[in-house]
Amino acid sequence: MLVSQSKDKSVSPLDNLTIVIMGASGDLAKRKLFPAVFTLFKEGFLGKAWRVIGYARSQYTKQELIETHLLPFLKKYDQKDLDEFFKHVHYLSGQYDKEEDYQALNKLIDECEKEGHTLLEQEFRAQFEHKQLSGDEVFDELEINEAMSPSTTLSSPKSFKARNHRFFYLSLPPNVFLVSATMLGKNCKSRTGYNRIVIEKPFGRDSATFKKLSLGLSKVFEKDEIYRIDHYIGKEVVQNLLVLRFANVILEPLWNRNTVRSVQIVFKEELGVEGRGGYFDSYGIIRDVMQNHLMQILALLAMEPPVSLSPEDIRNEKIKVLKAIEPVKIEDIVIGQYKGRVANNQRILGYREDPTVPDDSITPTFAACVLKIKNRRWDGVPFFLEAGKALDERLAEIRITFNDVPANLYTHTMVMANELVIRIQPNEAIYFNIMNKVPGLGDKLAESQLNFTYKTLYDVKKIPDAYERLILNMIQGDESNFLSSEELKYCWQIFDPILHELQDKVVQPDPYVFGTAGPTSTHYLAHKHNIRLNTEENLTV
C-alpha cells in the first residue's frame, strides 16, 4: 500500500534502536521475525547503533539461540553478513509475569544503548571534524543539528545526545499478551525516544475480550505506540489493491453493484493443525482467519476512495465500510471440521483425532459465510468469505464475478460471466476471465484469460516478505498497514453474534474429508446467493 510517510515519527541514523522480540524461541520468531530483521540490516535500514534482543522462557545462551533457531533459517546468506548480524543479537531468558526479569531486560537495554551512544558519538565527531558532509552521507546536516543540544552549532559542538528508541514485538501466546505488555510498559520504556509495541492476532476472542485487551494496553502504552499487526496486509498483492483500484481509471466504473454480481475472498490451507491444536481449538477458523485476514482484504476492496493516502484517511474509509456490514446470520454461514482418511496405507488424522484436540470439540476448521454491505455502492452484492484447513489446495485469492451479458446473442453456447481474479498466493497474479472465439472456421466460444503474473514480469526473489515490510513500517512510524482499535471493534461486531450463537446452540460442524474441497453444504450456500464457485480453474502462465 503506497502511503505518505510520517517523517516526524521515523528513526534517524543518529538514534539508538532496540528491537525486543518477546517469545524469541517460538516458531514465528525464528521463521519470520529474525530473518526479517536480518534483511532490514542487510539493506541498511537499521542505522549504525542497533540491536535485537530475544526474550523467552527457554534457557538458552545466545550461541544456542543462534545455532538452533536462527542459522537454520538464515543459512542461505553470506557468512560474513551473518557474523556481522549476530554481533547485534542478544538473548535473555525470563518469565513473562515476573517484574524482576523485566528489570533485568531493562538493564540489558540500558547497557546496549550506552555502547551504541559511544559508537554514534565517535561517528558524529569524526564526520564533524572532517566536514565532509553531503547528501549521500549517512548523517546529513539536518540530522546532526537534531542530535545536538539546542545551543550546539556545526562550528562548535558542545554535546551529543542520541535518542533511544525501544520497539517491542510480542510473538507470544494470547494468554500472556496483557501481562507481558504491562510489565514492559512499567519497566522497559525509553524516556528519550519512541516506544512502540507490536501485537499479533488474535485480538481477543470476542468484543468483550478485545475491549479488555485494548483497555489494558492503553494503561501502559499510548494510542500511537500500539501497532496491531495483520501480516496479510503486508503481502505484495494485498499492498497492490489500492493501486489497482485507484490508479487505473478503467476499473472504477465497474466497481459497484451495477456490474458486480458477487465477490469471493478465499483462504485455503492444505495442512491440518498437526499437533498445534491447543491454540487453534480455543479460537477456530473464524477468529483465526476470517475475522482478521479476510475482513481486512474486504475493507480494502469495498472502501470508498480516501481523501489522501495518509493512514488516517485510509482507516476512515475502511471503518465506514465495516460499519455498513450486517452481522452474520445463522442461515448465511456454513461451518465444517475435517475428518481423517487413509492415503498410501497411512492414516491421516482427523481434527478430533489429534492428541492436542478434545475428543468432543466442535471448533470449526472450515467456515464459509455471506456478508452484506448496506451502502449505495454494494447493496445487494454478496461477499462470500471462505477459509479452511486440511483442504484440497493452498490458495488465497479474490474473485470478482460480473453480471451476465444482457440480451446474449450467442445463444448456441454457454457464455460465462467475466471475472477479475486477484491471486494472493501461491503464484501471485491478476487476471481477467473473458469469453473469446476459438480460432477456426466455426463459431465456438471459450473462456480465456488476460493475465498478469508476477513471476513473468518481476524477479519474485525481490518481493519482500510481509514481515520485512511491516517491521520497517513500524520502525518508520508508518501506521497505515496496522489495524486501529476502531476497525477491530466493527469487525468483532460483525462476527460476535454468530460466534456466540454457534457456541450457545452447540452447533455441530459439517464433516469433510481431509484433502477435499470442504463441506458440500458450502455449494448450497453459494447457490442460494447466485455465487459461482470455481474449484477446477488453473491459471495459464
Side-chain angles (χ1 to χ4, degrees), residues 71-91:
L71 273 176
F73 299 95
L74 294 171
K75 57 186 177 183
K76 64 181 179 180
Y77 297 105
D78 183 75
Q79 188 60 47
K80 183 179 178 181
D81 291 332
L82 290 175
D83 290 342
E84 184 62 29
F85 174 71
F86 292 144
K87 291 178 183 178
H88 298 264
V89 175
H90 303 264
Y91 181 75

PDB file of all heavy atoms in Angstrom, residues 71-91:
ATOM      1  N   LEU A  71      20.247 -19.860  12.644  1.00  0.00           N
ATOM      2  CA  LEU A  71      21.023 -20.347  11.494  1.00  0.00           C
ATOM      3  C   LEU A  71      20.229 -21.226  10.531  1.00  0.00           C
ATOM      4  O   LEU A  71      20.382 -21.092   9.305  1.00  0.00           O
ATOM      5  CB  LEU A  71      22.265 -21.089  11.983  1.00  0.00           C
ATOM      6  CG  LEU A  71      23.498 -20.214  12.255  1.00  0.00           C
ATOM      7  CD1 LEU A  71      24.631 -21.057  12.815  1.00  0.00           C
ATOM      8  CD2 LEU A  71      23.946 -19.492  10.988  1.00  0.00           C
ATOM      9  N   PRO A  72      19.382 -22.150  11.018  1.00  0.00           N
ATOM     10  CA  PRO A  72      18.630 -22.970  10.064  1.00  0.00           C
ATOM     11  C   PRO A  72      17.784 -22.168   9.083  1.00  0.00           C
ATOM     12  O   PRO A  72      17.478 -22.635   7.989  1.00  0.00           O
ATOM     13  CB  PRO A  72      17.749 -23.840  10.976  1.00  0.00           C
ATOM     14  CG  PRO A  72      18.499 -23.920  12.261  1.00  0.00           C
ATOM     15  CD  PRO A  72      19.138 -22.574  12.420  1.00  0.00           C
ATOM     16  N   PHE A  73      17.402 -20.945   9.447  1.00  0.00           N
ATOM     17  CA  PHE A  73      16.551 -20.137   8.580  1.00  0.00           C
ATOM     18  C   PHE A  73      17.313 -18.981   7.923  1.00  0.00           C
ATOM     19  O   PHE A  73      16.725 -18.184   7.191  1.00  0.00           O
ATOM     20  CB  PHE A  73      15.373 -19.594   9.390  1.00  0.00           C
ATOM     21  CG  PHE A  73      14.519 -20.678   9.972  1.00  0.00           C
ATOM     22  CD1 PHE A  73      14.720 -21.122  11.271  1.00  0.00           C
ATOM     23  CD2 PHE A  73      13.549 -21.297   9.208  1.00  0.00           C
ATOM     24  CE1 PHE A  73      13.955 -22.145  11.807  1.00  0.00           C
ATOM     25  CE2 PHE A  73      12.772 -22.324   9.736  1.00  0.00           C
ATOM     26  CZ  PHE A  73      12.981 -22.750  11.033  1.00  0.00           C
ATOM     27  N   LEU A  74      18.627 -18.915   8.180  1.00  0.00           N
ATOM     28  CA  LEU A  74      19.452 -17.859   7.595  1.00  0.00           C
ATOM     29  C   LEU A  74      20.657 -18.419   6.845  1.00  0.00           C
ATOM     30  O   LEU A  74      21.479 -17.651   6.339  1.00  0.00           O
ATOM     31  CB  LEU A  74      19.948 -16.908   8.697  1.00  0.00           C
ATOM     32  CG  LEU A  74      18.889 -16.074   9.419  1.00  0.00           C
ATOM     33  CD1 LEU A  74      19.513 -15.359  10.622  1.00  0.00           C
ATOM     34  CD2 LEU A  74      18.261 -15.052   8.485  1.00  0.00           C
ATOM     35  N   LYS A  75      20.775 -19.738   6.771  1.00  0.00           N
ATOM     36  CA  LYS A  75      21.996 -20.353   6.236  1.00  0.00           C
ATOM     37  C   LYS A  75      22.232 -20.065   4.754  1.00  0.00           C
ATOM     38  O   LYS A  75      23.348 -20.222   4.259  1.00  0.00           O
ATOM     39  CB  LYS A  75      21.976 -21.858   6.475  1.00  0.00           C
ATOM     40  CG  LYS A  75      20.784 -22.582   5.889  1.00  0.00           C
ATOM     41  CD  LYS A  75      20.783 -24.046   6.315  1.00  0.00           C
ATOM     42  CE  LYS A  75      19.550 -24.784   5.791  1.00  0.00           C
ATOM     43  NZ  LYS A  75      19.529 -26.186   6.271  1.00  0.00           N
ATOM     44  N   LYS A  76      21.207 -19.604   4.042  1.00  0.00           N
ATOM     45  CA  LYS A  76      21.383 -19.312   2.617  1.00  0.00           C
ATOM     46  C   LYS A  76      22.157 -18.014   2.386  1.00  0.00           C
ATOM     47  O   LYS A  76      22.556 -17.724   1.261  1.00  0.00           O
ATOM     48  CB  LYS A  76      20.033 -19.244   1.915  1.00  0.00           C
ATOM     49  CG  LYS A  76      19.133 -18.116   2.394  1.00  0.00           C
ATOM     50  CD  LYS A  76      17.795 -18.126   1.649  1.00  0.00           C
ATOM     51  CE  LYS A  76      16.874 -17.005   2.140  1.00  0.00           C
ATOM     52  NZ  LYS A  76      15.582 -17.020   1.428  1.00  0.00           N
ATOM     53  N   TYR A  77      22.370 -17.226   3.450  1.00  0.00           N
ATOM     54  CA  TYR A  77      23.031 -15.933   3.308  1.00  0.00           C
ATOM     55  C   TYR A  77      24.535 -16.045   3.520  1.00  0.00           C
ATOM     56  O   TYR A  77      25.042 -17.028   4.074  1.00  0.00           O
ATOM     57  CB  TYR A  77      22.429 -14.928   4.290  1.00  0.00           C
ATOM     58  CG  TYR A  77      20.970 -14.641   4.034  1.00  0.00           C
ATOM     59  CD1 TYR A  77      19.979 -15.168   4.860  1.00  0.00           C
ATOM     60  CD2 TYR A  77      20.573 -13.851   2.950  1.00  0.00           C
ATOM     61  CE1 TYR A  77      18.634 -14.911   4.616  1.00  0.00           C
ATOM     62  CE2 TYR A  77      19.236 -13.592   2.707  1.00  0.00           C
ATOM     63  CZ  TYR A  77      18.272 -14.128   3.539  1.00  0.00           C
ATOM     64  OH  TYR A  77      16.951 -13.880   3.293  1.00  0.00           O
ATOM     65  N   ASP A  78      25.245 -15.015   3.094  1.00  0.00           N
ATOM     66  CA  ASP A  78      26.695 -14.979   3.198  1.00  0.00           C
ATOM     67  C   ASP A  78      27.140 -15.001   4.661  1.00  0.00           C
ATOM     68  O   ASP A  78      26.586 -14.261   5.494  1.00  0.00           O
ATOM     69  CB  ASP A  78      27.212 -13.715   2.500  1.00  0.00           C
ATOM     70  CG  ASP A  78      28.719 -13.633   2.508  1.00  0.00           C
ATOM     71  OD1 ASP A  78      29.351 -14.359   1.737  1.00  0.00           O
ATOM     72  OD2 ASP A  78      29.243 -12.839   3.323  1.00  0.00           O
ATOM     73  N   GLN A  79      28.152 -15.807   4.962  1.00  0.00           N
ATOM     74  CA  GLN A  79      28.593 -15.965   6.342  1.00  0.00           C
ATOM     75  C   GLN A  79      29.138 -14.667   6.924  1.00  0.00           C
ATOM     76  O   GLN A  79      28.953 -14.378   8.111  1.00  0.00           O
ATOM     77  CB  GLN A  79      29.664 -17.060   6.433  1.00  0.00           C
ATOM     78  CG  GLN A  79      30.047 -17.445   7.858  1.00  0.00           C
ATOM     79  CD  GLN A  79      28.860 -17.984   8.651  1.00  0.00           C
ATOM     80  OE1 GLN A  79      28.108 -18.820   8.170  1.00  0.00           O
ATOM     81  NE2 GLN A  79      28.703 -17.500   9.881  1.00  0.00           N
ATOM     82  N   LYS A  80      29.771 -13.861   6.100  1.00  0.00           N
ATOM     83  CA  LYS A  80      30.304 -12.590   6.581  1.00  0.00           C
ATOM     84  C   LYS A  80      29.170 -11.680   7.062  1.00  0.00           C
ATOM     85  O   LYS A  80      29.282 -11.041   8.118  1.00  0.00           O
ATOM     86  CB  LYS A  80      31.101 -11.905   5.462  1.00  0.00           C
ATOM     87  CG  LYS A  80      31.763 -10.599   5.894  1.00  0.00           C
ATOM     88  CD  LYS A  80      32.555  -9.995   4.741  1.00  0.00           C
ATOM     89  CE  LYS A  80      33.182  -8.668   5.158  1.00  0.00           C
ATOM     90  NZ  LYS A  80      33.936  -8.046   4.023  1.00  0.00           N
ATOM     91  N   ASP A  81      28.077 -11.639   6.303  1.00  0.00           N
ATOM     92  CA  ASP A  81      26.918 -10.838   6.705  1.00  0.00           C
ATOM     93  C   ASP A  81      26.300 -11.390   7.983  1.00  0.00           C
ATOM     94  O   ASP A  81      25.879 -10.632   8.866  1.00  0.00           O
ATOM     95  CB  ASP A  81      25.869 -10.813   5.593  1.00  0.00           C
ATOM     96  CG  ASP A  81      26.317 -10.021   4.378  1.00  0.00           C
ATOM     97  OD1 ASP A  81      27.137  -9.094   4.550  1.00  0.00           O
ATOM     98  OD2 ASP A  81      25.865 -10.329   3.264  1.00  0.00           O
ATOM     99  N   LEU A  82      26.246 -12.714   8.080  1.00  0.00           N
ATOM    100  CA  LEU A  82      25.658 -13.331   9.271  1.00  0.00           C
ATOM    101  C   LEU A  82      26.492 -13.031  10.511  1.00  0.00           C
ATOM    102  O   LEU A  82      25.946 -12.722  11.578  1.00  0.00           O
ATOM    103  CB  LEU A  82      25.538 -14.846   9.070  1.00  0.00           C
ATOM    104  CG  LEU A  82      24.498 -15.308   8.048  1.00  0.00           C
ATOM    105  CD1 LEU A  82      24.568 -16.817   7.874  1.00  0.00           C
ATOM    106  CD2 LEU A  82      23.093 -14.897   8.479  1.00  0.00           C
ATOM    107  N   ASP A  83      27.799 -13.122  10.375  1.00  0.00           N
ATOM    108  CA  ASP A  83      28.673 -12.845  11.523  1.00  0.00           C
ATOM    109  C   ASP A  83      28.484 -11.420  12.021  1.00  0.00           C
ATOM    110  O   ASP A  83      28.451 -11.162  13.231  1.00  0.00           O
ATOM    111  CB  ASP A  83      30.141 -13.074  11.139  1.00  0.00           C
ATOM    112  CG  ASP A  83      30.460 -14.552  10.921  1.00  0.00           C
ATOM    113  OD1 ASP A  83      29.676 -15.399  11.392  1.00  0.00           O
ATOM    114  OD2 ASP A  83      31.472 -14.850  10.267  1.00  0.00           O
ATOM    115  N   GLU A  84      28.347 -10.484  11.087  1.00  0.00           N
ATOM    116  CA  GLU A  84      28.129  -9.092  11.474  1.00  0.00           C
ATOM    117  C   GLU A  84      26.763  -8.922  12.128  1.00  0.00           C
ATOM    118  O   GLU A  84      26.607  -8.196  13.121  1.00  0.00           O
ATOM    119  CB  GLU A  84      28.253  -8.184  10.244  1.00  0.00           C
ATOM    120  CG  GLU A  84      28.142  -6.701  10.540  1.00  0.00           C
ATOM    121  CD  GLU A  84      29.249  -6.200  11.469  1.00  0.00           C
ATOM    122  OE1 GLU A  84      30.359  -6.771  11.452  1.00  0.00           O
ATOM    123  OE2 GLU A  84      28.974  -5.243  12.228  1.00  0.00           O
ATOM    124  N   PHE A  85      25.757  -9.593  11.576  1.00  0.00           N
ATOM    125  CA  PHE A  85      24.404  -9.519  12.139  1.00  0.00           C
ATOM    126  C   PHE A  85      24.364 -10.068  13.564  1.00  0.00           C
ATOM    127  O   PHE A  85      23.753  -9.458  14.461  1.00  0.00           O
ATOM    128  CB  PHE A  85      23.440 -10.305  11.246  1.00  0.00           C
ATOM    129  CG  PHE A  85      22.046 -10.429  11.791  1.00  0.00           C
ATOM    130  CD1 PHE A  85      21.197  -9.338  11.843  1.00  0.00           C
ATOM    131  CD2 PHE A  85      21.565 -11.654  12.252  1.00  0.00           C
ATOM    132  CE1 PHE A  85      19.906  -9.446  12.341  1.00  0.00           C
ATOM    133  CE2 PHE A  85      20.280 -11.780  12.757  1.00  0.00           C
ATOM    134  CZ  PHE A  85      19.444 -10.675  12.795  1.00  0.00           C
ATOM    135  N   PHE A  86      25.027 -11.192  13.789  1.00  0.00           N
ATOM    136  CA  PHE A  86      24.968 -11.835  15.100  1.00  0.00           C
ATOM    137  C   PHE A  86      25.653 -11.004  16.191  1.00  0.00           C
ATOM    138  O   PHE A  86      25.384 -11.201  17.376  1.00  0.00           O
ATOM    139  CB  PHE A  86      25.576 -13.226  15.031  1.00  0.00           C
ATOM    140  CG  PHE A  86      24.770 -14.208  14.213  1.00  0.00           C
ATOM    141  CD1 PHE A  86      25.400 -15.186  13.441  1.00  0.00           C
ATOM    142  CD2 PHE A  86      23.387 -14.141  14.202  1.00  0.00           C
ATOM    143  CE1 PHE A  86      24.667 -16.077  12.689  1.00  0.00           C
ATOM    144  CE2 PHE A  86      22.635 -15.034  13.436  1.00  0.00           C
ATOM    145  CZ  PHE A  86      23.275 -16.005  12.677  1.00  0.00           C
ATOM    146  N   LYS A  87      26.516 -10.072  15.787  1.00  0.00           N
ATOM    147  CA  LYS A  87      27.113  -9.173  16.779  1.00  0.00           C
ATOM    148  C   LYS A  87      26.042  -8.298  17.437  1.00  0.00           C
ATOM    149  O   LYS A  87      26.233  -7.814  18.549  1.00  0.00           O
ATOM    150  CB  LYS A  87      28.168  -8.268  16.109  1.00  0.00           C
ATOM    151  CG  LYS A  87      29.418  -8.993  15.649  1.00  0.00           C
ATOM    152  CD  LYS A  87      30.364  -8.012  14.959  1.00  0.00           C
ATOM    153  CE  LYS A  87      31.598  -8.715  14.404  1.00  0.00           C
ATOM    154  NZ  LYS A  87      32.493  -7.762  13.685  1.00  0.00           N
ATOM    155  N   HIS A  88      24.951  -8.092  16.734  1.00  0.00           N
ATOM    156  CA  HIS A  88      23.873  -7.230  17.227  1.00  0.00           C
ATOM    157  C   HIS A  88      22.773  -8.017  17.935  1.00  0.00           C
ATOM    158  O   HIS A  88      21.777  -7.427  18.361  1.00  0.00           O
ATOM    159  CB  HIS A  88      23.252  -6.454  16.060  1.00  0.00           C
ATOM    160  CG  HIS A  88      24.214  -5.544  15.356  1.00  0.00           C
ATOM    161  ND1 HIS A  88      24.323  -4.200  15.654  1.00  0.00           N
ATOM    162  CD2 HIS A  88      25.121  -5.783  14.368  1.00  0.00           C
ATOM    163  CE1 HIS A  88      25.243  -3.652  14.874  1.00  0.00           C
ATOM    164  NE2 HIS A  88      25.744  -4.593  14.083  1.00  0.00           N
ATOM    165  N   VAL A  89      22.907  -9.344  18.006  1.00  0.00           N
ATOM    166  CA  VAL A  89      21.873 -10.197  18.597  1.00  0.00           C
ATOM    167  C   VAL A  89      22.207 -10.477  20.064  1.00  0.00           C
ATOM    168  O   VAL A  89      23.338 -10.803  20.404  1.00  0.00           O
ATOM    169  CB  VAL A  89      21.743 -11.528  17.819  1.00  0.00           C
ATOM    170  CG1 VAL A  89      20.758 -12.464  18.522  1.00  0.00           C
ATOM    171  CG2 VAL A  89      21.290 -11.265  16.387  1.00  0.00           C
ATOM    172  N   HIS A  90      21.195 -10.338  20.917  1.00  0.00           N
ATOM    173  CA  HIS A  90      21.341 -10.656  22.339  1.00  0.00           C
ATOM    174  C   HIS A  90      20.178 -11.556  22.747  1.00  0.00           C
ATOM    175  O   HIS A  90      19.142 -11.610  22.076  1.00  0.00           O
ATOM    176  CB  HIS A  90      21.331  -9.382  23.190  1.00  0.00           C
ATOM    177  CG  HIS A  90      22.387  -8.393  22.813  1.00  0.00           C
ATOM    178  ND1 HIS A  90      23.600  -8.310  23.454  1.00  0.00           N
ATOM    179  CD2 HIS A  90      22.406  -7.436  21.838  1.00  0.00           C
ATOM    180  CE1 HIS A  90      24.325  -7.353  22.900  1.00  0.00           C
ATOM    181  NE2 HIS A  90      23.621  -6.802  21.916  1.00  0.00           N
ATOM    182  N   TYR A  91      20.356 -12.243  23.865  1.00  0.00           N
ATOM    183  CA  TYR A  91      19.273 -13.118  24.342  1.00  0.00           C
ATOM    184  C   TYR A  91      19.219 -13.087  25.858  1.00  0.00           C
ATOM    185  O   TYR A  91      20.255 -13.075  26.535  1.00  0.00           O
ATOM    186  CB  TYR A  91      19.471 -14.564  23.872  1.00  0.00           C
ATOM    187  CG  TYR A  91      18.348 -15.477  24.326  1.00  0.00           C
ATOM    188  CD1 TYR A  91      17.104 -15.433  23.709  1.00  0.00           C
ATOM    189  CD2 TYR A  91      18.527 -16.365  25.391  1.00  0.00           C
ATOM    190  CE1 TYR A  91      16.063 -16.248  24.131  1.00  0.00           C
ATOM    191  CE2 TYR A  91      17.488 -17.185  25.823  1.00  0.00           C
ATOM    192  CZ  TYR A  91      16.258 -17.125  25.187  1.00  0.00           C
ATOM    193  OH  TYR A  91      15.225 -17.922  25.604  1.00  0.00           O
TER     194      TYR A  91
END
